[in-house]
Amino acid sequence: MKMPVPAVGCESEEELQARVVRGPLPRHVAIIMDGNGRWAAQRNLPRVAGHHEGIKSVREVVTCCRELGLAGLTIYAFSAENWRRPMFEIQELMMLLELYLKRELSTLMERGIRFRTIGRIERLPASVVEWIRRVERETASHQGMTLTLALSYSGRSEIVDAVRRVVSDVQAGSLAPSAIDEDLLEQYLDTHGMEDPDLVIRTSGECRISNFLLWQMAYAELYFTKTLWPDFRRRDLLAAFLDFQQRERRFGRTGEQLQGRAG
Ligand code: FPP
């Protein structure tokens, strides 16, 4: 039986990190950033102020995941449903995204981070798409960690698009229907070649997955925290990792089977 690990107390970030690195870390973490608007409202600021502050959390989380040697970090930055937001807010988010790409390219180069995107990128403004392609191109050979931004992304649309491509290949005669299985469908998803997330974090207290990585999170551990995204920093990420280390990932097996395997 696993011994309960004491909750995160008033220990320093260094002590917390030292505890975290003693246990198994997730290889791929996916994050639903939420609560930027509420963070701003609590301070009588416009919603976009929350997005500006949220960028600082993105930087801190990327840095921490890279330092801890994770293979992947995927961030839900703009959902397909977010196109329903007021035009002003969408424009501000696009501007922030472009700024982020311009500013962070040198950091991604220095730290060996590969950048990629998932979602219907072609819907984004042309200048943002140009920057995305440039950063993807320039970091394509990096092996350190893959940072994926989900932009104009919908898990259901991703699956629909994949099915369309499968059908098109079947009709063209290059794919036999009998060859269609889970591994094959995966190759048609935006995330092809990427490991499934082990841990999915959502901030702001909402306990739903909002059309994010529907296929890929089949076996992910889910972690919900009340912390609003702009307040979510290294310490909060480390607390999520500690919580992850308490989970018993059985993948359909029994606890006894796992103990037998371990012993
Ligand atoms: C959710 O909070 C946040 C978003 C939909 C956008 C997040 C975007 C950024 C932090 C900036 C751009 C991102 C990158 C990676 C450069 P919300 O607005 O839904 O908050 P609320 O639920 O409190 O209203």
Side-chain angles (χ1 to χ4, degrees), residues 175-200:
L175 179 66
S178 58
I180 301 170
D181 59 11
E182 290 182 15
D183 289 341
L184 182 116
L185 192 70
E186 240 161 40
Q187 291 166 33
Y188 285 80
L189 294 171
D190 291 2
T191 50
H192 57 89
M194 210 188 271
E195 290 176 42
D196 286 344
D198 307 293
L199 174 66
V200 177

Side-chain angles (χ1 to χ4, degrees), residues 114-160:
R114 179 179 171 205
F115 175 81
R116 70 184 269 190
T117 54
I118 53 173
R120 292 185 173 161
I121 302 303
E122 63 287 353
R123 282 194 72 184
L124 303 174
S127 60
V128 177
V129 176
E130 263 172 46
W131 267 97
I132 286 172
R133 298 300 175 223
R134 175 169 172 195
V135 179
E136 279 179 336
R137 217 175 31 248
E138 295 196 19
T139 64
S141 63
H142 290 175
Q143 308 284 327
M145 174 179 92
T146 301
L147 168 65
T148 305
L149 290 194
L151 293 164
S152 188
Y153 176 84
S154 143
R156 285 186 174 178
S157 303
E158 181 191 25
I159 295 169
V160 168

Side-chain angles (χ1 to χ4, degrees), residues 32-41 47 50-59 75-79 82 85 89 92-94 96-101 104 115 147 149 151 202-204 206 208 228-230:
I32 303 174
M33 308 183 280
D34 197 10
N36 294 356
R38 276 162 284 171
W39 183 93
R47 291 179 55 78
H51 300 321
H52 280 261
E53 192 67 19
I55 295 267
K56 295 183 190 163
S57 301
V58 171
R59 294 202 76 214
I75 296 183
Y76 207 2
F78 193 82
S79 72
N82 285 154
R85 291 198 173 198
E89 187 174 338
E92 191 74 9
L93 279 168
M94 294 301 140
L96 274 178
L97 183 58
E98 190 171 329
L99 198 66
Y100 175 83
L101 294 167
E104 298 303 311
F115 175 81
L147 168 65
L149 290 194
L151 293 164
R202 181 174 188 144
T203 58
S204 91
E206 311 290 354
R208 48 178 182 267
L228 303 175
W229 178 251

Side-chain angles (χ1 to χ4, degrees), residues 3 8 13 18 67 81 83-84 92-93 105 155 168-169 174 185 188 205:
M3 294 302 289
V8 174
E13 243 169 43
E67 279 173 16
E81 291 77 18
W83 288 114
R84 298 181 191 140
E92 191 74 9
L93 279 168
L105 177 57
S168 150
D169 283 355
S174 57
L185 192 70
Y188 285 80

